Structures are given as C-alpha cells and as structure tokens.
Amino acid sequence: MSSLTPKELYNKLSQEAISHDEAHQEKTRVMVGTATCGVAAGALKIKADFIREVEAKNLQDEVDIVEVGCIGHCYAEPLAIIAKPGHPAICYGHLDDGLVHRLVEDFLAGDDPSYEYAMAALERNDVFPTFEDFPRGVYEQKLILEQCGFIDARDINSYIARDGYSALAMALEEKPGWILDEVKASNLRGRGGAGFPAGRKWEACIRSKGEEIYVICNADEGDPGAFMDRSILESDPHLVIEGMILCAFAVGARKGYLYIRAEYPRAVTHVQEAIDQARVKGLLGESILGTDFSFDLEIFQGSGAFVCGEATALVNSMEGKMGMPESRPPRLAQKGYRGKPTVLNNVKTFAYVPLIIRKGAKWFKEIGTPENPGTAVFSLVGKVVNTGLVEVPMGTTLRQLIYEVGDGLPNGKEFKAVQIGGPSGGCLPETALDVPIDFDSLQDAGAIMGSGGLVVMDEDDCMVSVARYFLEFTQHESCGKCTFCRLGTKHMLDILTGITKGEGDDETLNLLEELAEDVRDGSLCNLGRTAPNPVLTTLKYFRDEYKAHILEGRCPAKVCRDLLLYYIEPPKCSKLCNVCVGSCPTEAIFTRDDGLKEIDQEKCVKCDNCLKACPDEYNAVVKLSPPVLPSEKERKAK
Amino acid sequence: MSEYVTVKIDGQEIKAKPGEKLLWVALDNDIYIPHLCGIRSEERSNASCRLCFVEIEGIPRPVTSCTKTVEDGMVVITRSERVDRLVKTAFELILSDHNLKCRECPANRNCVLQVIAKKRKIKLRHDRFKPIAREYELDDSPAGFAFDRSRCVLCGQCIWADREEAKVGAIGFTKRGINRVVTTFKDLPLAESICTQCMLCVEACPVGALFYKKKEPHTATADKS
Ligand SMILES: Cc1cc2nc3c(=O)[nH]c(=O)nc-3n(C[C@H](O)[C@H](O)[C@H](O)COP(=O)(O)O)c2cc1C
Ligand code: SF4
Ligand code: FES
C-alpha cells in the first residue's frame, strides 16, 4: 500500500491533468463532433477540411483539431466547437467545406467569430447567447450528458481536470457501505428500462455473500433509433467506468465487464482507450489509488441479437451459450455470470453514480420527482424539428419535451401520437401529452420508459402500420423459446398485416386484443411481455383507425398501399407538363386525347414517384383511400 | 430447515419437501396441471411451454408452477378465469403450429396434447389462429425411429434425454424465433450425426414427433408408457 492517501494521490493526478489541460487551452481548439451521429453527417470530412485549411494558413502550431462526442444537437450535424483564447467557445452547425474555409480565414486567421453562422456559445458571456438561452434550455438539465461533446473523450486528463475520479478518491477513504447508503438514499432507478432501484440490486448482491462477484455494464442498446448509451460511451467513457469502479467497491467485486454491441466500434475503441489510460493512472487494476482495493475491467463485444440485452440472455451469451432468456429466480444478484452473484446495470445507471457520490444523494433527489429522481435521457426522433439527444428532469411532460425542447412538429403538420420506449413502447395520443415522463406514469399510460426512444408522429402516420412496424421488429427478434412470444407475436403480426389490407371485422380486433394481452401476461421474458404494447395502445387510443381499415377499406393516413390508389385530378392537371409521365417506372401514366394525364391503375405500382414529381403549382396527383376512382363512385351512387 | 413445508393446492393441504417445484408437488398429489417442457430433476426449468400457470395468493399475476419453489403456507389454485385463458391461448398457439392429423400419427391416443385437451376441455381443432403452414422433411434415416418435425412442440424433452440420460449431445435447438427447431449439428440427418440411436429421445417425446418405425412385417409398435 502506498503511503499517500487516495485523496492525496488523486490530487497529484488532478494537478497533472489540469496543467495538461491548461497547456491545451492556451491554444485555439477546434472540436469536431465525431460521435456516430456526426460521422454519419460527414464530420470526418469536416475534420479533414479544417486540417487542410489550417495548414493552408500555416496555423497548425496554434490550432489543435480534436474529436469530441455528441452534444445532442444532432439536427445540426456536422458541427464543431471553436475555443479561441479571448473569445467564448462557440458552436457552429451545418458545416460544409465553404463554411470551414470562412471560419478558418475569418476567425482562426483573423479575429472575427462570424456570429452569423454560430449556433450558440458554450459559456456565459456578454456577446453571444448560450444553449441555455435557447427556449429549450429552460426545460433541459444535463447531468450525465453534461460533458458529452465538450471534453476530449480520448484523453483521461480532460475528464480528471473536470473533477473526474474525485468521487472514487472520496469513496475509497470511506467504508464500502457508504457508497451503498448514498446510492440507496438517492433512489437511483435503473435506466435500462424497468426502473429497478440500483441500490436494492447492489444490496441483494452483497447479501449473496459470494467469494467472487461480477459487475457488468449493459451497453447492448439494440433498439432501432436509440443511441444514448453509445453517445455516452463514445463521448464520456470515464464517467461510466468510474461508476462501475464505485459499484465494484460497494459490492466487493474484483472484475467487471462492459457488454458493448459489436456494431459500436467507436464506443469499443474509446472505452478500451479509457480503460488503458485509467490503468496507467492507477485508477483501475491492482491497488486502486494506493489502497488494497483491486478491480479490473474488460470489454465483451456482443453479437447483436436484440434479446441479448435482456439480463439473463446477456449472461448466457457471455458464457458462450445461446443468448436466450431464462426464468427468474434465481436472480443475477444470486446466480449470475459463471454462477456468481452479479450486478448488471445499464450505461446510464452507472453514469449517474459518480455524480451522486460527488454531489450527494440529497442533491440528486432534488432533481426530478421524489419517486423518480434525476433526469431522463431521450433520443428525440421522427416528426419533430429538433431531433437529437435530450436530457430533462424526470416529471417533465411529454408536451414540454415535444413542443418546447423539440420545438414542435415541422411543416405545420398536426400531432397524432408519440411512441415512447423503443419498439416495445406504447403510442400515446394528444390527450396523454400532459403525462409526466417517469417510470410509473408512463407505465400507467400503457407506454414504458424503455430505452428512451421517443418517436413523434403526425397526421401522415398510420397507426396500424406503426403498430405493425414495431411488432414486426419484436417478432423478428423473438428468441423463439417460449410459446406466447414465438407463436403469439407471429399470429399478431399476421392479423395486423391482414388489417393493413382491409381484411377482418370487429371480431378480428377483439381477437388481436385478447391475444396481445395474453402474450403480455404469459411470455417468459420482457421482450414478449412488452412486445404487445404498441398494438394494445393503438387499439386503445386509435381504434377508429383500425375500424376504418377493415370496415371501410380506408386508411385514414393514406399509408397502407393496398387501401389506396393514385389519381390525377383533371381540373388541376396542367396538360402542358410531362413530368409525371417521365417519373413513372412502369409507364402507367399516359396522355389522354384531351391532353390530361391519367394513371393506368393496372400498371401502377404505387411507388409515389408521380406524386412527388408533380410540380407544386399543380399538385394534381392525389392518393385516394378507399381505392375507388371518382368515376366508379359515381357509378355506384347511381 | 424443517423437513417439509405445507402448501394448500385447490383446498388440499399438502406436505412437500422444501426446494421442490410446485408443478411436481401438485402432480404427485394427483392434482393435474398441464405441462410440456418441465423436467423434474432440473433445477431451472426452461419454462418455455407456458402451460403450467397457476394462481398463488399474494402474487398479482398467474405464474408458471414449474419455476415456483414451494413455500410454507403457500396457497395455490390451479384453475381460475385468468389461468384458463392463458392456458387455452398457449395451447391453441402450440396447436396452430402442430400437424393435427391425429389419425395418421403414431402417438394417437398416447399423446400429451390429447391429454391436455381432454383434461382442460379445449378443442384440438379451433379456429382462433390460422395454422402456420410449413414444410418439414421427414428424417427417417435412423434404423429404428424417425423424426417428423411437423409434430414437434419444441418442449425440449428429447434434448434433455440426449444430453443428460444418454450423454451424447447429438441434438439441440437451433435458429431463432418462429424458425426454432430441434436438430443435429450442421442439420445432418440423425443417422449421419453422432447420434447413437439409443432411442431414449423417442421415449421422451410426449407427442408423435420422434416415433418408432413400424417393424416389417406387422409386429406391434413398441408401447410407450
Ligand atoms: C429484450 C430486452 C432487451 C433489453 N436490452 C437492454 C439494453 O440494450 N440495455 C440495457 O441496459 N438493458 C436492456 N434490457 C433490460 C435488462 O434486462 C436489464 O433490466 C437492465 O440492463 C438492468 O439495468 P438497470 O437496472 O440499470 O436498468 C433489455 C431487456 C429486454 C427484455
Ligand atoms: S418472451 Fe420471447 S424473447 Fe423472451 S424467452 Fe420468450 S420467446 Fe424468447
Ligand atoms: S412446464 Fe412450466 S412452462 Fe412448460
């Protein structure tokens, strides 16, 4: 053991880190957001553009160009933050090579921050508003995303310089029981979906009194459209690692794993680098910060099946077995990885722990609601202006999240539903918009917190198709072990597919609802138990839409192809333009003797091309549902 | 720990060994609970057939009795509206993926599905769910028996017999979701796999999926008991 206390050792690390960081700050820093969202929008090219332009101006000795993670404003990617001494750090969005050229010339070489292109400043100043000054700033509160996108994810000094690992140093001078007490007092609930209190889980594990205990971080994040865990691991990996070390100290574990899906190569790289750097600093491995506490971490790359995110399936898959869920009990806290007591928590759950230890359970409990303290992290997608990652206190209403933080729906469209909780979440209507976001209220409304995916839908979305779409995902991901999920979801999907074609009657809806309830109540694991949620909620809130399909052969949102046809309205057609004719891949559109265009319904494959092609000044192509031409309608009327 | 615990099932007081699973305690006392996948000597049931639901006082939802350890003072009922509804749906789902030509089946009158149908008064032919039509090739490569997957209910009994009794490990579950099947390594016909043709799996099959070939000429089919 070292003669220095953990705090003394930490203070040394901290001073090193701060001077390292300050040395950096004397230079101008260009921080390009290169989390997966940024890369998808072309961030790596933007980074290359910056390097090229900076070299062209011969500024490479004065300017550092670094990669940072996601700051949550994904709608404005690619983006970069420029921190030039003498100016507030400023974020620029929607970058392209022209803009990069200007920023380098005017701001880096010259001294004009080009405010006309700036999104916001990152720190309070007298010249330019910050993100907190955005209307959404009132509703947002960043805890675990606070540093994402602002620190260098690939340099541990960047984390330590901002108090990183100070919670660990503090905790190591206390008894392990102190951490547990704080986490219990904070009422931190698991962010992997179910909201189980983390402290109780840890305590159960301690009670199992195992010789060997494991700590596992669940970073499988398989929900389509969810990317919060990935962002945190890519952008602030040490926060999660510190949380895991604190947990290990509390429960007495010596070994831990991060189960990261193999499709997240950047997260894997960043976390591996972080583990290596933490070891070098004596924060991981033998005798952490000079104490007799040892703990090490390893990455396990998951193979991809969605169900492997389920706790027991995850452990099976780590043990080399088929990734399939098991009945519980025994719980993982009793018999987990290799039959040993195991704590399994989500990425976000671990990320809160250092903050709770640093600032205290009381601080945490003051955020959010008493039963649901802290924040909720969502990926806001779909028909909403500001897509991206958001973090708001628990208890924020769906309305505030969609209209204030998300800035409402684009193109003046009408709100129809919000699907919350990933593919097994529920669809809630307008009337549920004042439901506060927390584990219990969402569950009561028929949705779930789930993984925190939030999809906004407007009048152009068909709720039957939406339910079908999500069920298709879960049905496809069913491991097939248990009867209800394997066969029940298959029959539900077949029934839904039939409804999108107008097949069925009132009885069909009852059967679908009954079956959905039975799959929910009878399945072995939560995949099957939650898979019916989209179906049950749409049946509850949008039953009329189902009925329109089967009783009238009509899809109100005009989405279900079997229930619509394309039609060119004669009074609107200009006769003179031929755009639609050229756009049709099957040559279904012809010019009539009177010069008007018409669609040969036999040949039409409903590809939507002509509707898009018809110039805005005419908008002559329309979709009709039920698929009856006006001429037929007239005939029938007679 | 005391020598036994007392549980009440359908009003009947029953003494049971601590640690035992409710399903087997009930069956040993002539209280019927439908079941396909449970295995008595396994500590952890697969709990995959979802037929053995019961209600336990104090637990809000029906639970599978094969996974529930008896506890002193436990009060259980094996039938309720909710239990019957779940069992009926699970059973009909299984039937929707089962080749229902009973008269052509070697297990006719000796089939657990027929027992469940009778005991719980559920029709074998129902029209709630459309049969899932699919083609399986008959594997009649072994000398004494054959495997018709169109009758398989994926209970896993044969796999257990193969691994734990015969200690061979020739068969297992593969594929996910609706495509889950029992098969050999690399999908080889049984006779080309490491199968020793001990036929313990045939004994274990509760339906007519694994069945003895008729001996030519007419000797009686081995009796399954
Ligand atoms: C089908 C399925 C997929 C899941 N996927 C994840 C996942 O990707 N990440 C996760 O943290 N939890 C996932 N869970 C929840 C885990 O089973 C488990 O509850 C969670 O990891 C526990 O951590 P927490 O208490 O911190 O929430 C999934 C559950 C199910 C049923
Ligand atoms: S509910 Fe679905 S995923 Fe879960 S064990 Fe059953 S079949 Fe597998
Ligand atoms: S016997 Fe209990 S689930 Fe199959």
Side-chain angles (χ1 to χ4, degrees), chain B residues 23 34-38 45-52 64-67:
Chain B
L23 172 65
H35 62 105
L36 278 173
C37 72
S45 174
N46 270 332
S48 59
C49 75
R50 317 308 286 171
L51 288 170
C52 65
T64 45
S65 57
C66 69
T67 57

Side-chain angles (χ1 to χ4, degrees), chain A residues 305-308 312 322-331 335 475-484 486-488 490-491 494-495 503 511 513-515 517-525 529, chain B residues 21 43-51 53 61-62 64 67-69 82 85-97 127-132 134 153-154 173-180:
Chain A
F306 174 64
V307 75
C308 287
T312 55
M322 270 178 109
M324 284 200 184
E326 304 273 355
S327 69
R328 287 181 268 184
R331 311 210 156 264
K335 228 175 151 194
Q475 189 268 336
H476 183 76
E477 293 297 331
S478 162
C479 83
K481 183 171 176 175
C482 76
T483 305
F484 281 105
R486 180 182 69 247
L487 294 164
K490 166 81 175 125
H491 285 290
D494 288 349
I495 296 171
E503 295 161 10
L511 174 64
E513 196 161 31
E514 270 171 35
L515 178 57
E517 286 167 359
D518 289 347
V519 172
R520 176 192 67 197
D521 296 339
S523 289
L524 171 60
C525 86
R529 286 178 178 276
Chain B
K21 295 291 190 295
E43 194 196 332
R44 193 175 216 169
S45 174
N46 270 332
S48 59
C49 75
R50 317 308 286 171
L51 288 170
F53 280 105
R61 291 192 299 192
T64 45
T67 57
K68 199 77 206 163
T69 310
R82 288 192 303 173
R85 174 171 158 183
L86 281 178
V87 172
K88 179 165 183 280
T89 300
F91 190 60
E92 290 180 347
L93 286 171
I94 292 170
L95 291 175
S96 76
D97 198 21
D127 54 12
R128 277 217 297 167
F129 309 124
K130 284 203 198 90
I132 296 176
R134 40 177 152 195
V153 292
L154 301 176
F173 286 118
T174 58
K175 305 221 180 97
R176 307 183 67 85
I178 193 76
N179 298 317
R180 183 165 163 97

Side-chain angles (χ1 to χ4, degrees), chain A residues 161-484:
Chain A
R162 287 164 185 76
D163 285 341
Y165 290 107
S166 63
L168 179 63
M170 235 160 92
L172 287 176
E173 301 205 340
E174 306 277 345
K175 294 222 160 51
W178 178 72
I179 301 183
L180 182 69
D181 288 342
E182 279 299 298
V183 173
K184 267 170 67 183
S186 75
N187 197 13
L188 169 65
R189 297 176 66 170
R191 296 308 203 252
F196 191 82
R200 267 175 45 206
K201 193 184 268 188
W202 297 10
E203 194 171 35
C205 192
I206 295 169
R207 280 218 205 94
S208 302
K209 293 205 167 31
E211 293 267 301
E212 260 171 83
I213 293 176
Y214 293 104
V215 173
I216 301 176
C217 175
N218 189 346
D220 192 48
E221 197 171 50
D223 290 19
F227 51 90
M228 296 73 83
D229 295 355
R230 183 190 70 204
S231 275
I232 295 171
L233 291 177
E234 286 179 355
S235 312
D236 199 3
H238 287 286
L239 187 65
V240 180
I241 292 175
E242 188 180 359
M244 291 185 75
I245 305 174
L246 287 165
C247 170
F249 185 60
V251 302
R254 292 179 53 93
K255 183 81 210 231
Y257 296 89
L258 290 117
Y259 187 101
I260 307 179
R261 60 176 32 234
E263 289 93 329
Y264 283 1
R266 291 185 85 78
V268 170
T269 315
H270 289 195
V271 171
Q272 189 58 54
E273 285 173 2
I275 290 174
D276 295 342
Q277 293 177 6
R279 277 201 202 112
V280 172
K281 298 262 183 202
L283 296 161
L284 258 184
E286 294 296 316
S287 310
I288 291 177
L289 285 178
T291 63
D292 56 8
F293 167 58
S294 302
F295 175 69
D296 212 348
L297 275 175
E298 210 177 291
I299 294 176
F300 186 96
Q301 292 198 36
S303 55
F306 174 64
V307 75
C308 287
E310 195 276 340
T312 55
L314 182 145
V315 167
N316 275 341
S317 124
M318 282 181 62
E319 290 173 348
K321 301 185 202 146
M322 270 178 109
M324 284 200 184
E326 304 273 355
S327 69
R328 287 181 268 184
R331 311 210 156 264
L332 294 188
Q334 298 150 344
K335 228 175 151 194
Y337 182 52
R338 297 200 183 134
K340 307 284 188 252
T342 300
V343 172
L344 176 88
N345 276 124
N346 172 258
V347 172
K348 295 179 281 305
T349 315
F350 282 123
Y352 285 105
V353 175
L355 307 177
I356 291 171
I357 298 300
R358 220 184 285 164
K359 304 184 184 178
K362 192 164 160 287
W363 162 82
F364 188 70
K365 285 205 76 161
E366 276 163 11
I367 303 162
T369 67
E371 288 310 307
N372 291 267
T375 52
V377 179
F378 284 103
S379 60
L380 195 53
V381 295
K383 311 277 177 58
V384 58
V385 174
N386 292 336
T387 56
L389 271 191
V390 297
E391 183 171 4
V392 292
M394 291 270 188
T396 304
T397 65
L398 287 166
R399 192 184 300 280
Q400 289 165 334
L401 188 63
I402 296 166
Y403 287 95
E404 307 297 337
V405 182
D407 204 15
L409 282 71
N411 311 323
K413 293 278 180 174
E414 195 137 333
F415 172 90
K416 187 186 244 176
V418 51
Q419 210 271 352
I420 174 163
S424 35
C427 294
L428 303 179
E430 168 82 35
T431 51
L433 278 182
D434 293 309
V435 167
I437 297 170
D438 65 58
F439 289 103
D440 311 305
S441 308
L442 287 177
Q443 177 115 30
D444 291 344
I448 51 170
M449 184 77 90
S451 57
L454 207 144
V455 190
V456 180
M457 290 178 272
D458 69 10
E459 53 195 279
D460 295 334
D461 290 298
C462 162
M463 300 319 287
V464 181
S465 306
V466 164
R468 206 201 88 89
Y469 170 81
F470 287 114
L471 193 75
E472 189 173 31
F473 175 83
T474 36
Q475 189 268 336
H476 183 76
E477 293 297 331
S478 162
C479 83
K481 183 171 176 175
C482 76
T483 305
F484 281 105

